[in-house]
mmCIF file of all heavy atoms in Angstrom:
data_model
loop_
_atom_site.group_PDB
_atom_site.id
_atom_site.type_symbol
_atom_site.label_atom_id
_atom_site.label_comp_id
_atom_site.label_asym_id
_atom_site.label_seq_id
_atom_site.Cartn_x
_atom_site.Cartn_y
_atom_site.Cartn_z
ATOM 1 N N MET V 1 126.109 91.129 111.227
ATOM 2 C CA MET V 1 125.066 90.153 111.510
ATOM 3 C C MET V 1 125.019 89.074 110.350
ATOM 4 O O MET V 1 124.772 87.913 110.623
ATOM 5 C CB MET V 1 123.768 90.888 111.583
ATOM 6 C CG MET V 1 122.555 90.068 111.949
ATOM 7 S SD MET V 1 120.999 91.032 111.831
ATOM 8 C CE MET V 1 120.708 90.957 110.124
ATOM 9 N N ARG V 2 125.249 89.550 109.140
ATOM 10 C CA ARG V 2 125.197 88.581 108.006
ATOM 11 C C ARG V 2 126.354 87.590 107.989
ATOM 12 O O ARG V 2 126.185 86.488 107.522
ATOM 13 C CB ARG V 2 125.226 89.348 106.658
ATOM 14 C CG ARG V 2 123.976 90.176 106.358
ATOM 15 C CD ARG V 2 124.159 90.781 105.034
ATOM 16 N NE ARG V 2 123.209 91.812 104.597
ATOM 17 C CZ ARG V 2 122.118 91.543 103.881
ATOM 18 N NH1 ARG V 2 121.742 90.274 103.683
ATOM 19 N NH2 ARG V 2 121.270 92.497 103.469
ATOM 20 N N ASP V 3 127.558 88.038 108.400
ATOM 21 C CA ASP V 3 128.800 87.289 108.319
ATOM 22 C C ASP V 3 128.646 85.954 109.021
ATOM 23 O O ASP V 3 128.359 85.846 110.221
ATOM 24 C CB ASP V 3 129.914 88.009 108.870
ATOM 25 C CG ASP V 3 131.330 87.462 108.512
ATOM 26 O OD1 ASP V 3 131.375 86.249 108.238
ATOM 27 O OD2 ASP V 3 132.239 88.194 108.546
ATOM 28 N N LYS V 4 128.831 84.815 108.303
ATOM 29 C CA LYS V 4 128.693 83.483 108.906
ATOM 30 C C LYS V 4 129.755 83.218 110.031
ATOM 31 O O LYS V 4 129.596 82.334 110.800
ATOM 32 C CB LYS V 4 128.756 82.392 107.854
ATOM 33 C CG LYS V 4 130.082 82.166 107.233
ATOM 34 C CD LYS V 4 130.060 81.002 106.226
ATOM 35 C CE LYS V 4 131.445 80.653 105.701
ATOM 36 N NZ LYS V 4 131.381 79.529 104.716
ATOM 37 N N LYS V 5 130.799 84.020 110.043
ATOM 38 C CA LYS V 5 131.788 83.829 111.033
ATOM 39 C C LYS V 5 131.436 84.517 112.402
ATOM 40 O O LYS V 5 132.132 84.320 113.365
ATOM 41 C CB LYS V 5 133.175 84.424 110.555
ATOM 42 C CG LYS V 5 133.790 83.620 109.352
ATOM 43 C CD LYS V 5 135.069 84.218 108.931
ATOM 44 C CE LYS V 5 134.921 85.547 108.248
ATOM 45 N NZ LYS V 5 136.192 86.081 107.733
ATOM 46 N N THR V 6 130.410 85.388 112.378
ATOM 47 C CA THR V 6 130.021 85.998 113.612
ATOM 48 C C THR V 6 129.248 85.070 114.474
ATOM 49 O O THR V 6 128.306 84.351 114.039
ATOM 50 C CB THR V 6 129.068 87.241 113.274
ATOM 51 O OG1 THR V 6 129.761 88.105 112.351
ATOM 52 C CG2 THR V 6 128.697 87.968 114.567
ATOM 53 N N ASP V 7 129.701 84.922 115.760
ATOM 54 C CA ASP V 7 128.998 83.978 116.654
ATOM 55 C C ASP V 7 127.687 84.511 117.160
ATOM 56 O O ASP V 7 127.330 85.731 116.813
ATOM 57 C CB ASP V 7 129.918 83.631 117.878
ATOM 58 C CG ASP V 7 130.250 84.859 118.757
ATOM 59 O OD1 ASP V 7 129.611 85.917 118.575
ATOM 60 O OD2 ASP V 7 131.155 84.742 119.568
ATOM 61 N N SER V 8 126.946 83.788 117.876
ATOM 62 C CA SER V 8 125.602 84.142 118.284
ATOM 63 C C SER V 8 125.561 85.451 119.113
ATOM 64 O O SER V 8 124.646 86.290 119.015
ATOM 65 C CB SER V 8 124.858 83.011 119.045
ATOM 66 O OG SER V 8 124.590 81.955 118.222
ATOM 67 N N GLN V 9 126.498 85.591 120.032
ATOM 68 C CA GLN V 9 126.621 86.835 120.832
ATOM 69 C C GLN V 9 126.839 88.042 119.921
ATOM 70 O O GLN V 9 126.179 89.028 120.102
ATOM 71 C CB GLN V 9 127.733 86.696 121.850
ATOM 72 C CG GLN V 9 127.745 87.942 122.806
ATOM 73 C CD GLN V 9 128.896 87.870 123.723
ATOM 74 O OE1 GLN V 9 129.893 87.164 123.554
ATOM 75 N NE2 GLN V 9 128.830 88.644 124.859
ATOM 76 N N GLY V 10 127.671 87.871 118.956
ATOM 77 C CA GLY V 10 127.948 88.979 118.019
ATOM 78 C C GLY V 10 126.704 89.276 117.201
ATOM 79 O O GLY V 10 126.406 90.481 116.930
ATOM 80 N N VAL V 11 126.017 88.261 116.754
ATOM 81 C CA VAL V 11 124.737 88.458 116.038
ATOM 82 C C VAL V 11 123.705 89.215 116.850
ATOM 83 O O VAL V 11 123.092 90.084 116.434
ATOM 84 C CB VAL V 11 124.196 87.118 115.519
ATOM 85 C CG1 VAL V 11 122.783 87.301 114.916
ATOM 86 C CG2 VAL V 11 125.110 86.542 114.473
ATOM 87 N N ARG V 12 123.578 88.795 118.080
ATOM 88 C CA ARG V 12 122.613 89.387 119.032
ATOM 89 C C ARG V 12 122.917 90.901 119.189
ATOM 90 O O ARG V 12 122.016 91.768 119.146
ATOM 91 C CB ARG V 12 122.522 88.659 120.302
ATOM 92 C CG ARG V 12 121.788 87.374 120.276
ATOM 93 C CD ARG V 12 121.422 86.825 121.671
ATOM 94 N NE ARG V 12 122.654 86.594 122.439
ATOM 95 C CZ ARG V 12 123.345 85.407 122.405
ATOM 96 N NH1 ARG V 12 122.857 84.391 121.650
ATOM 97 N NH2 ARG V 12 124.381 85.202 123.189
ATOM 98 N N ILE V 13 124.160 91.223 119.416
ATOM 99 C CA ILE V 13 124.583 92.578 119.674
ATOM 100 C C ILE V 13 124.324 93.425 118.477
ATOM 101 O O ILE V 13 123.754 94.634 118.576
ATOM 102 C CB ILE V 13 126.061 92.652 120.079
ATOM 103 C CG1 ILE V 13 126.215 92.008 121.509
ATOM 104 C CG2 ILE V 13 126.517 94.102 120.128
ATOM 105 C CD1 ILE V 13 127.706 91.846 121.918
ATOM 106 N N ALA V 14 124.710 92.976 117.319
ATOM 107 C CA ALA V 14 124.553 93.711 116.034
ATOM 108 C C ALA V 14 123.069 93.836 115.713
ATOM 109 O O ALA V 14 122.620 94.935 115.393
ATOM 110 C CB ALA V 14 125.203 92.946 114.874
ATOM 111 N N THR V 15 122.263 92.849 115.980
ATOM 112 C CA THR V 15 120.831 92.875 115.717
ATOM 113 C C THR V 15 120.183 93.934 116.585
ATOM 114 O O THR V 15 119.323 94.702 116.105
ATOM 115 C CB THR V 15 120.185 91.483 115.918
ATOM 116 O OG1 THR V 15 120.909 90.502 115.087
ATOM 117 C CG2 THR V 15 118.723 91.495 115.583
ATOM 118 N N ARG V 16 120.507 93.967 117.868
ATOM 119 C CA ARG V 16 119.919 94.941 118.794
ATOM 120 C C ARG V 16 120.191 96.362 118.351
ATOM 121 O O ARG V 16 119.370 97.250 118.446
ATOM 122 C CB ARG V 16 120.374 94.678 120.225
ATOM 123 C CG ARG V 16 119.705 93.417 120.844
ATOM 124 C CD ARG V 16 119.947 93.416 122.357
ATOM 125 N NE ARG V 16 119.317 92.250 122.935
ATOM 126 C CZ ARG V 16 119.972 91.197 123.342
ATOM 127 N NH1 ARG V 16 121.316 91.084 123.312
ATOM 128 N NH2 ARG V 16 119.309 90.104 123.878
ATOM 129 N N LYS V 17 121.446 96.599 117.919
ATOM 130 C CA LYS V 17 121.783 97.935 117.441
ATOM 131 C C LYS V 17 120.902 98.343 116.220
ATOM 132 O O LYS V 17 120.470 99.516 116.156
ATOM 133 C CB LYS V 17 123.270 98.027 117.176
ATOM 134 C CG LYS V 17 124.224 97.885 118.390
ATOM 135 C CD LYS V 17 125.639 97.922 117.998
ATOM 136 C CE LYS V 17 126.573 97.787 119.251
ATOM 137 N NZ LYS V 17 127.980 97.768 118.933
ATOM 138 N N ILE V 18 120.731 97.482 115.317
ATOM 139 C CA ILE V 18 119.888 97.724 114.196
ATOM 140 C C ILE V 18 118.418 97.936 114.575
ATOM 141 O O ILE V 18 117.787 98.895 114.070
ATOM 142 C CB ILE V 18 119.965 96.576 113.173
ATOM 143 C CG1 ILE V 18 121.396 96.464 112.604
ATOM 144 C CG2 ILE V 18 119.010 96.813 111.981
ATOM 145 C CD1 ILE V 18 121.620 95.184 111.794
ATOM 146 N N THR V 19 117.933 97.056 115.491
ATOM 147 C CA THR V 19 116.522 97.179 115.852
ATOM 148 C C THR V 19 116.230 98.480 116.502
ATOM 149 O O THR V 19 115.175 99.100 116.301
ATOM 150 C CB THR V 19 116.061 96.020 116.787
ATOM 151 O OG1 THR V 19 116.828 96.025 117.995
ATOM 152 C CG2 THR V 19 116.265 94.707 116.110
ATOM 153 N N ARG V 20 117.174 99.014 117.300
ATOM 154 C CA ARG V 20 116.986 100.293 117.963
ATOM 155 C C ARG V 20 116.845 101.375 116.932
ATOM 156 O O ARG V 20 115.874 102.191 117.028
ATOM 157 C CB ARG V 20 118.176 100.642 118.861
ATOM 158 C CG ARG V 20 118.060 101.921 119.676
ATOM 159 C CD ARG V 20 119.070 102.043 120.741
ATOM 160 N NE ARG V 20 118.856 101.228 121.898
ATOM 161 C CZ ARG V 20 118.177 101.516 123.004
ATOM 162 N NH1 ARG V 20 117.712 102.746 123.083
ATOM 163 N NH2 ARG V 20 118.033 100.641 123.972
ATOM 164 N N SER V 21 117.621 101.420 115.864
ATOM 165 C CA SER V 21 117.496 102.430 114.821
ATOM 166 C C SER V 21 116.162 102.268 114.108
ATOM 167 O O SER V 21 115.515 103.285 113.798
ATOM 168 C CB SER V 21 118.649 102.269 113.853
ATOM 169 O OG SER V 21 119.868 102.548 114.357
ATOM 170 N N LEU V 22 115.723 101.090 113.849
ATOM 171 C CA LEU V 22 114.529 100.888 113.095
ATOM 172 C C LEU V 22 113.288 101.259 113.970
ATOM 173 O O LEU V 22 112.325 101.896 113.450
ATOM 174 C CB LEU V 22 114.333 99.375 112.735
ATOM 175 C CG LEU V 22 115.380 98.806 111.754
ATOM 176 C CD1 LEU V 22 115.097 97.350 111.505
ATOM 177 C CD2 LEU V 22 115.425 99.575 110.506
ATOM 178 N N LEU V 23 113.341 101.048 115.291
ATOM 179 C CA LEU V 23 112.263 101.386 116.180
ATOM 180 C C LEU V 23 112.111 102.879 116.289
ATOM 181 O O LEU V 23 111.006 103.435 116.322
ATOM 182 C CB LEU V 23 112.453 100.739 117.518
ATOM 183 C CG LEU V 23 112.150 99.246 117.640
ATOM 184 C CD1 LEU V 23 112.813 98.671 118.832
ATOM 185 C CD2 LEU V 23 110.689 98.997 117.623
ATOM 186 N N TYR V 24 113.266 103.598 116.364
ATOM 187 C CA TYR V 24 113.202 105.058 116.388
ATOM 188 C C TYR V 24 112.489 105.618 115.119
ATOM 189 O O TYR V 24 111.713 106.521 115.205
ATOM 190 C CB TYR V 24 114.635 105.625 116.465
ATOM 191 C CG TYR V 24 115.247 105.658 117.887
ATOM 192 C CD1 TYR V 24 116.538 105.250 118.105
ATOM 193 C CD2 TYR V 24 114.460 106.178 118.917
ATOM 194 C CE1 TYR V 24 117.065 105.242 119.370
ATOM 195 C CE2 TYR V 24 114.996 106.183 120.244
ATOM 196 C CZ TYR V 24 116.291 105.750 120.413
ATOM 197 O OH TYR V 24 116.816 105.735 121.714
ATOM 198 N N GLU V 25 112.851 105.046 113.999
ATOM 199 C CA GLU V 25 112.247 105.477 112.749
ATOM 200 C C GLU V 25 110.716 105.197 112.689
ATOM 201 O O GLU V 25 109.934 106.033 112.278
ATOM 202 C CB GLU V 25 112.938 104.868 111.536
ATOM 203 C CG GLU V 25 114.348 105.351 111.280
ATOM 204 C CD GLU V 25 114.415 106.812 110.820
ATOM 205 O OE1 GLU V 25 113.435 107.260 110.174
ATOM 206 O OE2 GLU V 25 115.342 107.511 111.177
ATOM 207 N N ALA V 26 110.392 103.979 113.137
ATOM 208 C CA ALA V 26 108.982 103.607 113.072
ATOM 209 C C ALA V 26 108.123 104.427 113.976
ATOM 210 O O ALA V 26 106.947 104.672 113.593
ATOM 211 C CB ALA V 26 108.880 102.082 113.463
ATOM 212 N N SER V 27 108.676 104.881 115.139
ATOM 213 C CA SER V 27 107.848 105.603 116.108
ATOM 214 C C SER V 27 107.549 107.046 115.677
ATOM 215 O O SER V 27 106.890 107.732 116.424
ATOM 216 C CB SER V 27 108.538 105.576 117.416
ATOM 217 O OG SER V 27 109.756 106.294 117.365
ATOM 218 N N GLN V 28 108.055 107.468 114.514
ATOM 219 C CA GLN V 28 107.773 108.797 114.105
ATOM 220 C C GLN V 28 106.296 109.109 113.871
ATOM 221 O O GLN V 28 105.888 110.246 113.777
ATOM 222 C CB GLN V 28 108.545 109.102 112.814
ATOM 223 C CG GLN V 28 110.058 109.294 113.035
ATOM 224 C CD GLN V 28 110.719 109.743 111.759
ATOM 225 O OE1 GLN V 28 110.157 110.341 110.858
ATOM 226 N NE2 GLN V 28 112.072 109.415 111.650
ATOM 227 N N ASN V 29 105.449 108.068 113.762
ATOM 228 C CA ASN V 29 104.011 108.295 113.572
ATOM 229 C C ASN V 29 103.261 108.420 114.805
ATOM 230 O O ASN V 29 102.020 108.716 114.761
ATOM 231 C CB ASN V 29 103.376 107.098 112.772
ATOM 232 C CG ASN V 29 103.309 105.793 113.588
ATOM 233 O OD1 ASN V 29 104.225 105.479 114.403
ATOM 234 N ND2 ASN V 29 102.257 105.020 113.410
ATOM 235 N N LEU V 30 103.898 108.396 115.946
ATOM 236 C CA LEU V 30 103.168 108.620 117.261
ATOM 237 C C LEU V 30 102.700 109.989 117.385
ATOM 238 O O LEU V 30 103.556 110.941 117.170
ATOM 239 C CB LEU V 30 104.037 108.143 118.425
ATOM 240 C CG LEU V 30 104.403 106.625 118.475
ATOM 241 C CD1 LEU V 30 105.324 106.359 119.639
ATOM 242 C CD2 LEU V 30 103.126 105.773 118.597
ATOM 243 N N PRO V 31 101.479 110.281 117.812
ATOM 244 C CA PRO V 31 100.995 111.568 117.967
ATOM 245 C C PRO V 31 101.588 112.275 119.260
ATOM 246 O O PRO V 31 101.885 111.583 120.244
ATOM 247 C CB PRO V 31 99.440 111.396 118.151
ATOM 248 C CG PRO V 31 99.314 110.035 118.725
ATOM 249 C CD PRO V 31 100.466 109.181 118.075
ATOM 250 N N LEU V 32 101.743 113.590 119.146
ATOM 251 C CA LEU V 32 102.391 114.357 120.249
ATOM 252 C C LEU V 32 101.385 115.346 120.847
ATOM 253 O O LEU V 32 100.445 115.742 120.186
ATOM 254 C CB LEU V 32 103.578 115.141 119.683
ATOM 255 C CG LEU V 32 104.717 114.292 119.015
ATOM 256 C CD1 LEU V 32 105.746 115.239 118.425
ATOM 257 C CD2 LEU V 32 105.329 113.352 120.019
ATOM 258 N N VAL V 33 101.626 115.576 122.105
ATOM 259 C CA VAL V 33 100.836 116.670 122.835
ATOM 260 C C VAL V 33 101.869 117.536 123.551
ATOM 261 O O VAL V 33 103.022 117.183 123.736
ATOM 262 C CB VAL V 33 99.897 116.067 123.808
ATOM 263 C CG1 VAL V 33 98.795 115.224 123.143
ATOM 264 C CG2 VAL V 33 100.589 115.185 124.836
ATOM 265 N N GLU V 34 101.364 118.715 123.961
ATOM 266 C CA GLU V 34 102.243 119.645 124.767
ATOM 267 C C GLU V 34 101.914 119.390 126.234
ATOM 268 O O GLU V 34 100.769 119.216 126.662
ATOM 269 C CB GLU V 34 102.029 121.071 124.369
ATOM 270 C CG GLU V 34 102.625 121.389 123.050
ATOM 271 C CD GLU V 34 102.581 122.932 122.807
ATOM 272 O OE1 GLU V 34 101.723 123.617 123.413
ATOM 273 O OE2 GLU V 34 103.347 123.398 122.011
ATOM 274 N N ARG V 35 102.994 119.407 127.028
ATOM 275 C CA ARG V 35 102.867 119.265 128.484
ATOM 276 C C ARG V 35 103.717 120.330 129.179
ATOM 277 O O ARG V 35 104.849 120.560 128.752
ATOM 278 C CB ARG V 35 103.359 117.845 128.849
ATOM 279 C CG ARG V 35 103.459 117.612 130.347
ATOM 280 C CD ARG V 35 104.129 116.269 130.670
ATOM 281 N NE ARG V 35 104.547 116.180 131.997
ATOM 282 C CZ ARG V 35 105.462 115.341 132.399
ATOM 283 N NH1 ARG V 35 106.099 114.511 131.626
ATOM 284 N NH2 ARG V 35 105.897 115.322 133.683
ATOM 285 N N GLU V 36 103.141 120.966 130.127
ATOM 286 C CA GLU V 36 103.887 121.961 130.895
ATOM 287 C C GLU V 36 104.870 121.313 131.929
ATOM 288 O O GLU V 36 104.378 120.518 132.725
ATOM 289 C CB GLU V 36 102.911 122.912 131.616
ATOM 290 C CG GLU V 36 103.665 124.146 132.240
ATOM 291 C CD GLU V 36 102.657 125.207 132.759
ATOM 292 O OE1 GLU V 36 102.201 125.967 131.939
ATOM 293 O OE2 GLU V 36 102.427 125.100 133.956
ATOM 294 N N ILE V 37 106.100 121.672 131.842
ATOM 295 C CA ILE V 37 107.035 121.102 132.776
ATOM 296 C C ILE V 37 107.919 122.259 133.281
ATOM 297 O O ILE V 37 108.000 123.315 132.708
ATOM 298 C CB ILE V 37 107.944 119.994 132.078
ATOM 299 C CG1 ILE V 37 108.791 120.650 130.966
ATOM 300 C CG2 ILE V 37 107.176 118.798 131.651
ATOM 301 C CD1 ILE V 37 109.926 119.728 130.508
ATOM 302 N N THR V 38 108.587 121.941 134.428
ATOM 303 C CA THR V 38 109.433 122.998 135.012
ATOM 304 C C THR V 38 110.884 122.393 135.007
ATOM 305 O O THR V 38 111.168 121.307 135.624
ATOM 306 C CB THR V 38 109.031 123.359 136.456
ATOM 307 O OG1 THR V 38 107.746 123.892 136.373
ATOM 308 C CG2 THR V 38 109.942 124.380 137.047
ATOM 309 N N THR V 39 111.796 123.116 134.328
ATOM 310 C CA THR V 39 113.185 122.716 134.386
ATOM 311 C C THR V 39 113.801 123.504 135.535
ATOM 312 O O THR V 39 113.180 124.214 136.223
ATOM 313 C CB THR V 39 113.915 123.136 133.064
ATOM 314 O OG1 THR V 39 114.088 124.591 133.072
ATOM 315 C CG2 THR V 39 113.071 122.741 131.859
ATOM 316 N N PRO V 40 115.150 123.206 135.865
ATOM 317 C CA PRO V 40 115.835 124.066 136.899
ATOM 318 C C PRO V 40 115.863 125.484 136.538
ATOM 319 O O PRO V 40 116.194 126.298 137.436
ATOM 320 C CB PRO V 40 117.207 123.412 136.918
ATOM 321 C CG PRO V 40 117.042 122.003 136.407
ATOM 322 C CD PRO V 40 115.977 122.064 135.410
ATOM 323 N N ILE V 41 115.576 125.838 135.310
ATOM 324 C CA ILE V 41 115.685 127.249 134.911
ATOM 325 C C ILE V 41 114.285 127.940 134.809
ATOM 326 O O ILE V 41 114.102 129.106 135.263
ATOM 327 C CB ILE V 41 116.357 127.373 133.506
ATOM 328 C CG1 ILE V 41 117.700 126.575 133.555
ATOM 329 C CG2 ILE V 41 116.576 128.807 133.088
ATOM 330 C CD1 ILE V 41 118.681 127.141 134.563
ATOM 331 N N THR V 42 113.285 127.269 134.251
ATOM 332 C CA THR V 42 112.005 127.959 133.945
ATOM 333 C C THR V 42 110.914 126.896 133.723
ATOM 334 O O THR V 42 111.175 125.735 133.640
ATOM 335 C CB THR V 42 112.102 128.849 132.723
ATOM 336 O OG1 THR V 42 110.953 129.625 132.593
ATOM 337 C CG2 THR V 42 112.309 128.013 131.460
ATOM 338 N N THR V 43 109.723 127.403 133.544
ATOM 339 C CA THR V 43 108.567 126.529 133.156
ATOM 340 C C THR V 43 108.221 126.779 131.704
ATOM 341 O O THR V 43 108.184 127.958 131.276
ATOM 342 C CB THR V 43 107.335 126.890 134.032
ATOM 343 O OG1 THR V 43 107.662 126.511 135.409
ATOM 344 C CG2 THR V 43 106.104 126.037 133.620
ATOM 345 N N PHE V 44 107.953 125.711 130.951
ATOM 346 C CA PHE V 44 107.602 125.922 129.549
ATOM 347 C C PHE V 44 106.811 124.620 129.066
ATOM 348 O O PHE V 44 106.662 123.730 129.838
ATOM 349 C CB PHE V 44 108.889 126.125 128.663
ATOM 350 C CG PHE V 44 109.586 124.868 128.271
ATOM 351 C CD1 PHE V 44 109.708 124.531 126.928
ATOM 352 C CD2 PHE V 44 110.075 123.979 129.210
ATOM 353 C CE1 PHE V 44 110.394 123.404 126.573
ATOM 354 C CE2 PHE V 44 110.826 122.874 128.884
ATOM 355 C CZ PHE V 44 110.890 122.557 127.498
ATOM 356 N N LYS V 45 106.302 124.733 127.881
ATOM 357 C CA LYS V 45 105.522 123.615 127.293
ATOM 358 C C LYS V 45 106.409 122.804 126.355
ATOM 359 O O LYS V 45 106.978 123.315 125.363
ATOM 360 C CB LYS V 45 104.318 124.154 126.494
ATOM 361 C CG LYS V 45 103.206 124.773 127.446
ATOM 362 C CD LYS V 45 102.017 125.177 126.647
ATOM 363 C CE LYS V 45 100.897 125.695 127.590
ATOM 364 N NZ LYS V 45 99.698 126.148 126.829
ATOM 365 N N ALA V 46 106.544 121.503 126.695
ATOM 366 C CA ALA V 46 107.358 120.586 125.936
ATOM 367 C C ALA V 46 106.480 119.551 125.198
ATOM 368 O O ALA V 46 105.432 119.228 125.722
ATOM 369 C CB ALA V 46 108.352 119.921 126.850
ATOM 370 N N LYS V 47 106.957 119.155 124.054
ATOM 371 C CA LYS V 47 106.192 118.127 123.301
ATOM 372 C C LYS V 47 106.593 116.769 123.853
ATOM 373 O O LYS V 47 107.719 116.480 124.159
ATOM 374 C CB LYS V 47 106.525 118.211 121.825
ATOM 375 C CG LYS V 47 105.966 119.443 121.160
ATOM 376 C CD LYS V 47 106.195 119.402 119.667
ATOM 377 C CE LYS V 47 105.584 120.618 118.975
ATOM 378 N NZ LYS V 47 105.818 120.667 117.518
ATOM 379 N N THR V 48 105.577 115.864 123.877
ATOM 380 C CA THR V 48 105.818 114.506 124.384
ATOM 381 C C THR V 48 104.781 113.581 123.675
ATOM 382 O O THR V 48 103.793 114.082 123.096
ATOM 383 C CB THR V 48 105.680 114.388 125.915
ATOM 384 O OG1 THR V 48 106.110 113.085 126.282
ATOM 385 C CG2 THR V 48 104.250 114.672 126.389
#
């Protein structure tokens, strides 16, 4: 992204890849609850 030789398409692709990582990290503060779901195998409580 920093390299001046990278064209706009390359900058956009690189930037999106970085933003995805940053967003995953930032969302760690979201509160979780348990929800009962049924998989093809069994029913259990999953965090969401």
Side-chain angles (χ1 to χ4, degrees):
M1 187 186 79
R2 290 184 190 269
D3 192 334
K4 70 176 185 180
K5 294 182 290 186
T6 304
D7 63 15
S8 289
Q9 183 181 23
V11 170
R12 286 193 297 272
I13 292 170
T15 303
R16 287 195 178 104
K17 290 178 180 178
I18 296 170
T19 61
R20 183 170 285 266
S21 294
L22 299 180
L23 286 160
Y24 278 133
E25 290 292 329
S27 66
Q28 288 187 24
N29 70 322
L30 293 175
L32 302 175
V33 295
E34 287 190 338
R35 173 187 162 201
E36 187 173 279
I37 64 167
T38 301
T39 75
I41 307 300
T42 188
T43 297
F44 83 119
K45 289 184 178 180
K47 289 183 178 180
T48 186

